[in-house]
């Protein structure tokens, strides 16, 4: 059995999710090509780092991520910090010869994402951006239906990502509300997930016509402790401005001819992690709602007029990404499982010397789309999205 040593940077929400995945990968995927070893974790202070190592099962800890990046005993750098550190860490890690998995969005800006992609060119290491929702078995099944032509030519893709953890203006200023840390608001934080799903399922987006809003334009300062994702207990009485969007809507045109819409908001009381998509094709339709993530609803023209309607397929071991999870459908496939599959696919790529998707090129293309959305929202005009040519590394007009 071969092992691979992981250095994880950031021990918050995603530090927990990734650590869980590293422990669980060999339990689900066995025999394993490479078994991850939780070698060293970095946090913002020595105390936080030591605490994270004890909690998540890392052998060592540090408050200086640079020591991990240059540690010859570390093979993989996992970036689970706020967005402002992604580019600097990833570029240093790639230069040091490490494989890199980086949380989404790849970076704060299209410039940073481009530099990160550039740093991968000509290197053999595996790089991945952690858009894990595409690894949900029902989402992978939707892709299988589309690729097999079961719904014909795709005409329309409409997706939502609706949340309410920050709908209360009394919720403190998370790093996610600060442009200098996050880059953008709902656009990069949650909109990027449905942009990734749009690209994965339908193809490249060629132009957008968008609007963004900031409905809650000031928030209390976080008094102390970790980012609390909307927990008002952490709020002080001092109010500071929010300088990112909290709502985005965009029309999209796909290079392949389909049209669609994407909507992401943090102000949707009652909607917690409401990722949905509905896809209409010439031969049928597909509907997915992450709140019922074991299920994919499908309807086919060929079903006959007297029985046509959406029916539910419950995902399980017979479906893509479901094979190694649980032995019967509808037992409950959760967020954790998407991270376990993501980690497995990353290590399989390293073991096989193959690339994995979504990679930094995909993260960069998503950043180009996010940039076009923000530009269009400013101008009110349709805005075209340049397409990354993976052969040349240059940007070209999307046809
Ligand atoms: P978080 O705020 O819960 O955790 C970030 C951690 O990084 C904190 O514990 C913080 O102390 C630590 N940190 C800050 N500066 C550091 C430094 N210099 N060295 C080491 N550690 C440092 O944030 P969360 O939610 O874990 O987000 C992290 C990243 O993951 C973000 O890019 C976010 O967009 C992404 N994310 C992705 C999700 C997904 O579904 N794929 C879900 C949640 C977050
Ligand atoms: C907050 O909106 C958040 O944690 C995002 O940062 C994640 O990407 C999303 O998957 C869950 O919600």
């Amino acid at each position: 059995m071969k092992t691979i040593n992981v250095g994880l940077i950031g021990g918050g929400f995603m530090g927990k999710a990734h650590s869980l995945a590293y422990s669980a990968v060999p339990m689900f995927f066995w025999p394993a090509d490479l078994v991850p070893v939780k070698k060293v974790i970095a946090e913002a202070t020595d105390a936080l780092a030591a605490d994270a190592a004890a909690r998540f099962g890392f052998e060592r800890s540090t408050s200086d991520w640079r020591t991990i990046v240059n540690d010859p005993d570390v093979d993989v750098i996992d970036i689970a910090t706020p967005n402002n550190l992604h580019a600097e860490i990833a570029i240093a890690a790639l230069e040091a010869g490490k494989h890199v998995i980086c949380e989404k969005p790849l970076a704060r800006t299209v410039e940073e994402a481009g530099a990160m992609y550039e740093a991968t060119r000509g290197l053999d290491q595996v790089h991945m951006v952690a858009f894990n929702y595409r690894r949900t078995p029902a989402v992978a099944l939707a892709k299988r239906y589309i690729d097999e032509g079961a719904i014909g030519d795709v005409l329309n893709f409409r997706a939502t990502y609706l949340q309410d953890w920050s709908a209360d203006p009394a919720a403190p200023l998370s790093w996610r509300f600060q442009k200098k840390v996050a880059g953008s608001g709902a656009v990069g934080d949650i909109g990027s997930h449905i942009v990734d799903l749009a690209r994965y399922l339908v193809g490249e987006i060629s132009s957008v016509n968008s609007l963004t809003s900031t409905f809650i334009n000031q928030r209390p300062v976080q008094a102390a402790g970790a980012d609390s994702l909307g927990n008002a207990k952490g709020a002080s009485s001092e109010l500071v401005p929010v300088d990112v969007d909290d709502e985005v809507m965009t029309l999209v045109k796909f290079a392949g001819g389909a049209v669609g819409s994407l909507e992401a908001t943090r102000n949707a009381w009652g909607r917690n992690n409401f990722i949905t998509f509905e896809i209409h094709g010439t031969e049928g339709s597909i509907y997915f709602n992450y709140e019922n993530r074991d299920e994919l609803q499908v309807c086919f023209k060929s079903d006959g007029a007297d029985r046509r309607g959406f029916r539910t397929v419950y995902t399980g071991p017979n479906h893509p990404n479901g094979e190694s999870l649980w032995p019967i459908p509808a037992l409950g496939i959760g967020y954790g499982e998407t991270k376990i599959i993501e980690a497995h696919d990353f290590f399989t790529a390293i073991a096989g010397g193959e690339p994995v998707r979504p990679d930094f090129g995909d993260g960069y293309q998503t950043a180009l789309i996010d940039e076009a959305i923000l530009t269009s929202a400013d101008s009110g005009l349709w805005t075209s999205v340049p397409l990354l040519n993976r052969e040349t590394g240059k940007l070209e007009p999307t046809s």
Side-chain angles (χ1 to χ4, degrees), residues 8-18 41-45 48 62-65 79-86 89 102-105 130-133 161 174-176 188-189 193 226-229 273 335 338-339 342:
L8 171 61
I9 306 176
F13 176 11
M14 280 308 97
K16 173 164 69 176
H18 291 209
I41 187 164
E43 250 295 340
T45 66
L48 286 171
T62 175
S63 57
D64 182 0
W65 60 261
I79 305 170
T81 63
N83 309 346
N84 58 320
L85 290 171
H86 291 189
I89 298 175
C102 180
E103 263 304 338
K104 52 49 63 182
F131 284 118
N132 49 302
Y133 292 112
Y161 197 153
S174 160
W175 61 258
R176 288 173 168 84
D189 190 34
H193 281 295
D227 194 291
S228 61
L229 273 178
N273 207 51
Y335 184 82
T338 67
K339 285 292 182 190
E342 177 177 86

Short mmCIF file of all heavy atoms in Angstrom, two decimals, residues 8-18 41-45 48 62-65 79-86 89 102-105 130-133 161 174-176 188-189 193 226-229 273 335 338-339 342, ligand 1:
data_model
loop_
_atom_site.label_atom_id
_atom_site.label_comp_id
_atom_site.label_asym_id
_atom_site.label_seq_id
_atom_site.Cartn_x
_atom_site.Cartn_y
_atom_site.Cartn_z
N LEU A 8 -2.24 20.43 4.90
CA LEU A 8 -3.50 21.17 4.77
C LEU A 8 -3.33 22.56 5.36
O LEU A 8 -2.81 22.71 6.48
CB LEU A 8 -4.61 20.40 5.52
CG LEU A 8 -5.96 21.07 5.70
CD1 LEU A 8 -6.63 21.38 4.37
CD2 LEU A 8 -6.88 20.16 6.53
N ILE A 9 -3.76 23.56 4.61
CA ILE A 9 -3.64 24.94 5.09
C ILE A 9 -5.05 25.51 5.28
O ILE A 9 -5.81 25.66 4.32
CB ILE A 9 -2.82 25.80 4.10
CG1 ILE A 9 -1.46 25.11 3.86
CG2 ILE A 9 -2.63 27.21 4.66
CD1 ILE A 9 -0.59 25.80 2.84
N GLY A 10 -5.40 25.76 6.54
CA GLY A 10 -6.74 26.24 6.88
C GLY A 10 -7.53 25.15 7.58
O GLY A 10 -7.80 24.10 6.99
N GLY A 11 -7.90 25.40 8.81
CA GLY A 11 -8.59 24.38 9.60
C GLY A 11 -9.98 24.80 10.02
O GLY A 11 -10.43 24.51 11.12
N GLY A 12 -10.71 25.49 9.12
CA GLY A 12 -12.08 25.91 9.41
C GLY A 12 -13.08 24.90 8.85
O GLY A 12 -12.87 23.68 8.91
N PHE A 13 -14.15 25.43 8.28
CA PHE A 13 -15.23 24.61 7.70
C PHE A 13 -14.65 23.60 6.69
O PHE A 13 -14.86 22.39 6.79
CB PHE A 13 -16.23 25.58 7.07
CG PHE A 13 -17.39 25.01 6.33
CD1 PHE A 13 -17.72 23.66 6.37
CD2 PHE A 13 -18.21 25.86 5.59
CE1 PHE A 13 -18.82 23.17 5.67
CE2 PHE A 13 -19.31 25.38 4.89
CZ PHE A 13 -19.61 24.04 4.92
N MET A 14 -13.89 24.11 5.71
CA MET A 14 -13.35 23.21 4.69
C MET A 14 -12.20 22.36 5.22
O MET A 14 -12.00 21.24 4.76
CB MET A 14 -12.92 23.99 3.44
CG MET A 14 -14.07 24.34 2.54
SD MET A 14 -15.13 22.94 2.08
CE MET A 14 -16.45 23.08 3.26
N GLY A 15 -11.45 22.89 6.19
CA GLY A 15 -10.41 22.05 6.81
C GLY A 15 -11.04 20.79 7.39
O GLY A 15 -10.51 19.68 7.25
N LYS A 16 -12.19 20.97 8.02
CA LYS A 16 -12.91 19.82 8.58
C LYS A 16 -13.36 18.87 7.47
O LYS A 16 -13.16 17.65 7.56
CB LYS A 16 -14.12 20.32 9.39
CG LYS A 16 -15.03 19.21 9.87
CD LYS A 16 -15.98 19.66 10.96
CE LYS A 16 -17.05 20.62 10.51
NZ LYS A 16 -18.00 20.94 11.58
N ALA A 17 -14.00 19.43 6.43
CA ALA A 17 -14.53 18.58 5.35
C ALA A 17 -13.42 17.80 4.65
O ALA A 17 -13.58 16.61 4.35
CB ALA A 17 -15.29 19.45 4.34
N HIS A 18 -12.28 18.45 4.41
CA HIS A 18 -11.19 17.77 3.70
C HIS A 18 -10.53 16.73 4.60
O HIS A 18 -10.16 15.65 4.14
CB HIS A 18 -10.16 18.79 3.22
CG HIS A 18 -10.67 19.68 2.11
ND1 HIS A 18 -9.86 20.24 1.16
CD2 HIS A 18 -11.92 20.13 1.82
CE1 HIS A 18 -10.59 20.98 0.33
NE2 HIS A 18 -11.84 20.93 0.72
N ILE A 41 -0.68 20.40 9.42
CA ILE A 41 -1.75 21.38 9.17
C ILE A 41 -1.26 22.76 9.60
O ILE A 41 -0.57 22.90 10.62
CB ILE A 41 -3.06 21.00 9.90
CG1 ILE A 41 -4.21 21.94 9.49
CG2 ILE A 41 -2.91 20.96 11.42
CD1 ILE A 41 -5.59 21.41 9.84
N ALA A 42 -1.61 23.77 8.79
CA ALA A 42 -1.27 25.16 9.14
C ALA A 42 -2.55 25.92 9.49
O ALA A 42 -3.58 25.76 8.82
CB ALA A 42 -0.58 25.85 7.97
N GLU A 43 -2.46 26.72 10.52
CA GLU A 43 -3.55 27.64 10.87
C GLU A 43 -2.95 29.02 11.11
O GLU A 43 -1.74 29.21 11.02
CB GLU A 43 -4.33 27.12 12.08
CG GLU A 43 -5.74 26.63 11.74
CD GLU A 43 -6.68 27.74 11.24
OE1 GLU A 43 -6.41 28.93 11.49
OE2 GLU A 43 -7.68 27.44 10.59
N ALA A 44 -3.82 29.98 11.42
CA ALA A 44 -3.37 31.37 11.51
C ALA A 44 -2.45 31.62 12.71
O ALA A 44 -1.61 32.51 12.66
CB ALA A 44 -4.59 32.29 11.56
N THR A 45 -2.62 30.86 13.79
CA THR A 45 -1.74 31.00 14.97
C THR A 45 -1.29 29.61 15.42
O THR A 45 -1.90 28.60 15.05
CB THR A 45 -2.49 31.66 16.16
OG1 THR A 45 -3.52 30.74 16.59
CG2 THR A 45 -3.12 32.99 15.78
N LEU A 48 -4.18 27.85 17.28
CA LEU A 48 -5.22 27.32 16.37
C LEU A 48 -4.71 26.10 15.61
O LEU A 48 -5.43 25.13 15.40
CB LEU A 48 -5.65 28.40 15.37
CG LEU A 48 -6.54 29.53 15.91
CD1 LEU A 48 -6.69 30.64 14.85
CD2 LEU A 48 -7.91 28.99 16.32
N THR A 62 1.63 23.99 12.35
CA THR A 62 2.46 25.19 12.23
C THR A 62 1.56 26.41 11.99
O THR A 62 0.44 26.26 11.48
CB THR A 62 3.46 25.07 11.06
OG1 THR A 62 4.17 26.31 10.92
CG2 THR A 62 2.76 24.78 9.74
N SER A 63 2.08 27.59 12.33
CA SER A 63 1.35 28.81 11.98
C SER A 63 1.97 29.47 10.74
O SER A 63 1.57 30.57 10.36
CB SER A 63 1.37 29.79 13.15
OG SER A 63 2.70 30.07 13.50
N ASP A 64 2.93 28.80 10.11
CA ASP A 64 3.57 29.38 8.92
C ASP A 64 3.39 28.42 7.73
O ASP A 64 4.11 27.42 7.60
CB ASP A 64 5.07 29.61 9.20
CG ASP A 64 5.76 30.25 8.01
OD1 ASP A 64 5.09 30.52 6.98
OD2 ASP A 64 6.99 30.48 8.11
N TRP A 65 2.42 28.74 6.86
CA TRP A 65 2.12 27.82 5.75
C TRP A 65 3.34 27.62 4.83
O TRP A 65 3.46 26.58 4.17
CB TRP A 65 0.90 28.27 4.95
CG TRP A 65 0.98 29.64 4.30
CD1 TRP A 65 0.45 30.79 4.78
CD2 TRP A 65 1.61 29.97 3.04
NE1 TRP A 65 0.71 31.83 3.91
CE2 TRP A 65 1.40 31.36 2.83
CE3 TRP A 65 2.30 29.24 2.08
CZ2 TRP A 65 1.88 32.02 1.70
CZ3 TRP A 65 2.78 29.89 0.95
CH2 TRP A 65 2.57 31.26 0.77
N ILE A 79 -5.37 23.71 -0.09
CA ILE A 79 -5.61 25.11 0.30
C ILE A 79 -7.08 25.29 0.69
O ILE A 79 -7.97 25.26 -0.15
CB ILE A 79 -5.24 26.06 -0.86
CG1 ILE A 79 -3.80 25.80 -1.31
CG2 ILE A 79 -5.43 27.52 -0.43
CD1 ILE A 79 -3.40 26.52 -2.58
N ALA A 80 -7.29 25.46 1.99
CA ALA A 80 -8.66 25.61 2.53
C ALA A 80 -8.74 26.89 3.37
O ALA A 80 -9.40 26.92 4.41
CB ALA A 80 -9.03 24.39 3.35
N THR A 81 -8.05 27.91 2.88
CA THR A 81 -8.06 29.21 3.56
C THR A 81 -9.08 30.13 2.88
O THR A 81 -9.55 29.83 1.77
CB THR A 81 -6.70 29.90 3.41
OG1 THR A 81 -6.49 30.13 2.01
CG2 THR A 81 -5.58 29.07 3.98
N PRO A 82 -9.38 31.28 3.47
CA PRO A 82 -10.13 32.29 2.71
C PRO A 82 -9.44 32.61 1.38
O PRO A 82 -8.22 32.40 1.21
CB PRO A 82 -10.14 33.49 3.68
CG PRO A 82 -10.08 32.85 5.04
CD PRO A 82 -9.17 31.67 4.87
N ASN A 83 -10.21 33.18 0.46
CA ASN A 83 -9.77 33.30 -0.94
C ASN A 83 -8.51 34.15 -1.15
O ASN A 83 -7.79 33.95 -2.12
CB ASN A 83 -10.90 33.92 -1.78
CG ASN A 83 -12.23 33.21 -1.57
OD1 ASN A 83 -12.26 32.13 -1.02
ND2 ASN A 83 -13.32 33.82 -1.99
N ASN A 84 -8.25 35.10 -0.23
CA ASN A 84 -7.12 36.01 -0.45
C ASN A 84 -5.77 35.31 -0.42
O ASN A 84 -4.77 35.85 -0.90
CB ASN A 84 -7.13 37.15 0.58
CG ASN A 84 -7.09 36.64 2.02
OD1 ASN A 84 -7.73 35.64 2.34
ND2 ASN A 84 -6.35 37.30 2.87
N LEU A 85 -5.72 34.09 0.14
CA LEU A 85 -4.43 33.39 0.22
C LEU A 85 -4.25 32.34 -0.88
O LEU A 85 -3.17 31.77 -1.01
CB LEU A 85 -4.29 32.71 1.60
CG LEU A 85 -4.11 33.67 2.78
CD1 LEU A 85 -4.22 32.91 4.10
CD2 LEU A 85 -2.76 34.37 2.68
N HIS A 86 -5.31 32.06 -1.65
CA HIS A 86 -5.23 30.95 -2.60
C HIS A 86 -4.08 31.11 -3.59
O HIS A 86 -3.30 30.17 -3.81
CB HIS A 86 -6.54 30.81 -3.38
CG HIS A 86 -7.71 30.35 -2.55
ND1 HIS A 86 -8.92 29.98 -3.12
CD2 HIS A 86 -7.89 30.19 -1.22
CE1 HIS A 86 -9.78 29.63 -2.17
NE2 HIS A 86 -9.17 29.75 -1.00
N ILE A 89 -0.35 30.94 -2.09
CA ILE A 89 0.01 29.58 -1.63
C ILE A 89 0.13 28.63 -2.82
O ILE A 89 1.09 27.86 -2.93
CB ILE A 89 -1.03 29.04 -0.62
CG1 ILE A 89 -1.09 29.91 0.63
CG2 ILE A 89 -0.70 27.59 -0.25
CD1 ILE A 89 -2.19 29.52 1.62
N CYS A 102 -7.13 23.12 -4.42
CA CYS A 102 -7.45 24.45 -3.90
C CYS A 102 -8.96 24.62 -3.84
O CYS A 102 -9.66 24.27 -4.80
CB CYS A 102 -6.85 25.52 -4.82
SG CYS A 102 -7.20 27.21 -4.27
N GLU A 103 -9.44 25.15 -2.74
CA GLU A 103 -10.87 25.41 -2.63
C GLU A 103 -11.31 26.46 -3.66
O GLU A 103 -10.52 27.22 -4.18
CB GLU A 103 -11.23 25.84 -1.20
CG GLU A 103 -11.76 24.70 -0.35
CD GLU A 103 -12.97 23.98 -0.96
OE1 GLU A 103 -13.67 24.56 -1.80
OE2 GLU A 103 -13.20 22.81 -0.60
N LYS A 104 -12.61 26.46 -3.92
CA LYS A 104 -13.22 27.44 -4.82
C LYS A 104 -13.53 28.71 -4.07
O LYS A 104 -13.64 28.63 -2.84
CB LYS A 104 -14.48 26.88 -5.48
CG LYS A 104 -15.55 26.29 -4.56
CD LYS A 104 -16.02 27.04 -3.36
CE LYS A 104 -16.72 28.36 -3.58
NZ LYS A 104 -17.10 29.01 -2.28
N PRO A 105 -13.75 29.85 -4.70
CA PRO A 105 -13.38 30.09 -6.08
C PRO A 105 -11.86 30.03 -6.17
O PRO A 105 -11.17 30.29 -5.17
CB PRO A 105 -13.91 31.50 -6.35
CG PRO A 105 -13.91 32.16 -4.99
CD PRO A 105 -14.19 31.08 -4.00
N ALA A 130 -11.80 22.78 -6.06
CA ALA A 130 -12.73 21.92 -5.31
C ALA A 130 -14.20 22.30 -5.53
O ALA A 130 -14.92 22.64 -4.59
CB ALA A 130 -12.37 21.97 -3.83
N PHE A 131 -14.65 22.20 -6.78
CA PHE A 131 -16.08 22.35 -7.07
C PHE A 131 -16.73 20.98 -6.86
O PHE A 131 -16.97 20.24 -7.82
CB PHE A 131 -16.30 22.85 -8.50
CG PHE A 131 -16.01 24.32 -8.68
CD1 PHE A 131 -15.01 24.74 -9.53
CD2 PHE A 131 -16.77 25.27 -8.01
CE1 PHE A 131 -14.76 26.11 -9.71
CE2 PHE A 131 -16.52 26.63 -8.18
CZ PHE A 131 -15.51 27.05 -9.03
N ASN A 132 -16.99 20.65 -5.61
CA ASN A 132 -17.37 19.29 -5.27
C ASN A 132 -18.81 18.93 -5.64
O ASN A 132 -19.14 17.75 -5.75
CB ASN A 132 -17.18 19.04 -3.77
CG ASN A 132 -17.80 20.12 -2.92
OD1 ASN A 132 -17.46 21.29 -3.06
ND2 ASN A 132 -18.73 19.74 -2.06
N TYR A 133 -19.69 19.94 -5.86
CA TYR A 133 -21.09 19.57 -6.11
C TYR A 133 -21.24 18.74 -7.39
O TYR A 133 -22.16 17.96 -7.51
CB TYR A 133 -21.99 20.81 -6.15
CG TYR A 133 -22.10 21.46 -4.79
CD1 TYR A 133 -21.55 22.72 -4.55
CD2 TYR A 133 -22.72 20.81 -3.74
CE1 TYR A 133 -21.63 23.31 -3.30
CE2 TYR A 133 -22.81 21.39 -2.48
CZ TYR A 133 -22.26 22.64 -2.27
OH TYR A 133 -22.33 23.21 -1.03
N TYR A 161 -28.80 29.12 -6.77
CA TYR A 161 -28.10 28.80 -5.52
C TYR A 161 -28.58 29.85 -4.51
O TYR A 161 -28.17 31.00 -4.54
CB TYR A 161 -26.58 28.85 -5.69
CG TYR A 161 -25.83 28.14 -4.58
CD1 TYR A 161 -24.57 27.59 -4.79
CD2 TYR A 161 -26.36 28.01 -3.29
CE1 TYR A 161 -23.87 26.92 -3.79
CE2 TYR A 161 -25.68 27.34 -2.28
CZ TYR A 161 -24.45 26.81 -2.53
OH TYR A 161 -23.78 26.16 -1.53
N SER A 174 -18.67 38.50 7.90
CA SER A 174 -17.80 37.38 7.54
C SER A 174 -16.73 37.88 6.57
O SER A 174 -16.93 38.88 5.87
CB SER A 174 -18.65 36.31 6.85
OG SER A 174 -17.87 35.43 6.09
N TRP A 175 -15.62 37.15 6.46
CA TRP A 175 -14.64 37.50 5.42
C TRP A 175 -15.30 37.45 4.04
O TRP A 175 -14.85 38.09 3.10
CB TRP A 175 -13.39 36.62 5.49
CG TRP A 175 -13.59 35.14 5.30
CD1 TRP A 175 -13.63 34.17 6.25
CD2 TRP A 175 -13.75 34.44 4.05
NE1 TRP A 175 -13.81 32.92 5.70
CE2 TRP A 175 -13.89 33.07 4.34
CE3 TRP A 175 -13.79 34.84 2.71
CZ2 TRP A 175 -14.07 32.08 3.35
CZ3 TRP A 175 -13.97 33.87 1.72
CH2 TRP A 175 -14.10 32.52 2.07
N ARG A 176 -16.40 36.69 3.94
CA ARG A 176 -17.09 36.56 2.65
C ARG A 176 -17.75 37.87 2.20
O ARG A 176 -18.23 37.96 1.07
CB ARG A 176 -18.13 35.45 2.73
CG ARG A 176 -17.54 34.04 2.77
CD ARG A 176 -18.62 33.02 3.02
NE ARG A 176 -18.19 31.65 2.80
CZ ARG A 176 -17.56 30.91 3.71
NH1 ARG A 176 -17.24 31.41 4.88
NH2 ARG A 176 -17.22 29.65 3.43
N GLY A 188 -18.83 35.08 -6.65
CA GLY A 188 -17.72 34.13 -6.55
C GLY A 188 -17.97 33.03 -5.54
O GLY A 188 -17.51 31.91 -5.72
N ASP A 189 -18.69 33.36 -4.47
CA ASP A 189 -18.81 32.40 -3.37
C ASP A 189 -19.78 31.27 -3.70
O ASP A 189 -19.45 30.10 -3.52
CB ASP A 189 -19.27 33.13 -2.11
CG ASP A 189 -19.17 32.24 -0.88
OD1 ASP A 189 -18.24 31.41 -0.82
OD2 ASP A 189 -20.03 32.36 0.01
N HIS A 193 -20.32 28.06 -8.03
CA HIS A 193 -20.69 26.64 -8.02
C HIS A 193 -21.65 26.32 -9.17
O HIS A 193 -21.52 25.28 -9.83
CB HIS A 193 -21.38 26.27 -6.71
CG HIS A 193 -20.45 26.06 -5.55
ND1 HIS A 193 -19.52 25.03 -5.50
CD2 HIS A 193 -20.34 26.71 -4.36
CE1 HIS A 193 -18.88 25.08 -4.33
NE2 HIS A 193 -19.34 26.09 -3.62
N ALA A 226 -13.64 32.61 15.49
CA ALA A 226 -13.64 32.21 14.08
C ALA A 226 -14.83 32.81 13.35
O ALA A 226 -15.82 33.21 13.96
CB ALA A 226 -13.71 30.69 14.00
N ASP A 227 -14.71 32.86 12.02
CA ASP A 227 -15.80 33.28 11.16
C ASP A 227 -17.01 32.39 11.48
O ASP A 227 -16.91 31.18 11.46
CB ASP A 227 -15.37 33.08 9.71
CG ASP A 227 -16.29 33.80 8.77
OD1 ASP A 227 -17.44 33.39 8.63
OD2 ASP A 227 -15.83 34.76 8.17
N SER A 228 -18.13 33.06 11.77
CA SER A 228 -19.24 32.26 12.31
C SER A 228 -20.38 32.05 11.32
O SER A 228 -21.46 31.61 11.71
CB SER A 228 -19.76 32.92 13.58
OG SER A 228 -20.23 34.21 13.27
N LEU A 229 -20.18 32.37 10.05
CA LEU A 229 -21.19 32.15 9.03
C LEU A 229 -22.59 32.56 9.49
O LEU A 229 -23.51 31.75 9.52
CB LEU A 229 -21.18 30.68 8.59
CG LEU A 229 -20.21 30.33 7.47
CD1 LEU A 229 -20.25 28.86 7.14
CD2 LEU A 229 -20.46 31.14 6.21
N ASN A 273 -29.36 25.68 1.43
CA ASN A 273 -28.32 25.38 0.43
C ASN A 273 -29.04 24.91 -0.82
O ASN A 273 -28.88 23.79 -1.28
CB ASN A 273 -27.36 24.30 0.96
CG ASN A 273 -25.99 24.43 0.33
OD1 ASN A 273 -25.39 25.51 0.32
ND2 ASN A 273 -25.49 23.36 -0.25
N TYR A 335 -23.05 15.88 1.78
CA TYR A 335 -21.96 16.79 1.42
C TYR A 335 -20.61 16.10 1.60
O TYR A 335 -19.72 16.19 0.75
CB TYR A 335 -22.05 18.04 2.31
CG TYR A 335 -21.04 19.08 1.96
CD1 TYR A 335 -21.27 19.96 0.92
CD2 TYR A 335 -19.83 19.16 2.65
CE1 TYR A 335 -20.32 20.90 0.58
CE2 TYR A 335 -18.89 20.10 2.32
CZ TYR A 335 -19.14 20.97 1.28
OH TYR A 335 -18.21 21.90 0.94
N THR A 338 -19.42 13.96 -1.21
CA THR A 338 -18.89 14.64 -2.41
C THR A 338 -17.41 14.96 -2.22
O THR A 338 -16.62 14.91 -3.17
CB THR A 338 -19.66 15.94 -2.75
OG1 THR A 338 -19.44 16.92 -1.72
CG2 THR A 338 -21.14 15.69 -2.92
N LYS A 339 -17.03 15.27 -0.99
CA LYS A 339 -15.63 15.59 -0.70
C LYS A 339 -14.76 14.32 -0.71
O LYS A 339 -13.58 14.35 -1.07
CB LYS A 339 -15.51 16.31 0.65
CG LYS A 339 -15.98 17.75 0.59
CD LYS A 339 -15.02 18.59 -0.25
CE LYS A 339 -15.36 20.05 -0.32
NZ LYS A 339 -14.55 20.76 -1.33
N GLU A 342 -14.28 13.53 -4.34
CA GLU A 342 -13.32 14.52 -4.85
C GLU A 342 -11.89 14.13 -4.48
O GLU A 342 -10.99 14.10 -5.33
CB GLU A 342 -13.67 15.88 -4.27
CG GLU A 342 -12.75 17.02 -4.63
CD GLU A 342 -13.28 18.32 -4.03
OE1 GLU A 342 -12.98 18.62 -2.85
OE2 GLU A 342 -14.01 19.03 -4.74
P1 LIG B 1 -13.30 29.36 7.42
O1 LIG B 1 -13.29 30.79 7.76
O2 LIG B 1 -14.26 28.44 8.12
O3 LIG B 1 -11.86 28.70 7.57
C1 LIG B 1 -10.71 29.30 7.03
C2 LIG B 1 -9.59 29.00 7.98
O4 LIG B 1 -8.38 29.48 7.42
C3 LIG B 1 -9.77 29.66 9.34
O5 LIG B 1 -9.77 28.69 10.36
C4 LIG B 1 -8.62 30.62 9.42
O6 LIG B 1 -8.12 30.79 10.72
C5 LIG B 1 -7.61 29.95 8.50
N1 LIG B 1 -6.54 30.84 8.07
C6 LIG B 1 -6.62 32.17 7.83
N2 LIG B 1 -5.40 32.65 7.53
C7 LIG B 1 -4.54 31.61 7.58
C8 LIG B 1 -3.15 31.47 7.37
N3 LIG B 1 -2.37 32.53 7.04
N4 LIG B 1 -2.58 30.24 7.49
C9 LIG B 1 -3.34 29.18 7.81
N5 LIG B 1 -4.69 29.25 8.04
C10 LIG B 1 -5.28 30.45 7.91
O7 LIG B 1 -13.55 29.31 5.84
P2 LIG B 1 -14.10 28.08 5.00
O8 LIG B 1 -15.58 28.12 4.97
O9 LIG B 1 -13.42 26.83 5.42
O10 LIG B 1 -13.61 28.53 3.54
C11 LIG B 1 -12.30 28.27 3.10
C12 LIG B 1 -12.29 28.17 1.58
O11 LIG B 1 -13.16 27.12 1.20
C13 LIG B 1 -12.82 29.42 0.87
O12 LIG B 1 -12.09 29.61 -0.31
C14 LIG B 1 -14.27 29.08 0.56
O13 LIG B 1 -14.77 29.76 -0.57
C15 LIG B 1 -14.18 27.60 0.32
N6 LIG B 1 -15.41 26.86 0.64
C16 LIG B 1 -15.83 25.91 -0.25
C17 LIG B 1 -16.94 25.15 -0.01
C18 LIG B 1 -17.37 24.14 -1.01
O14 LIG B 1 -18.52 23.72 -0.97
N7 LIG B 1 -16.50 23.68 -1.89
C19 LIG B 1 -17.72 25.31 1.24
C20 LIG B 1 -17.17 26.33 2.13
C21 LIG B 1 -16.05 27.06 1.82
#
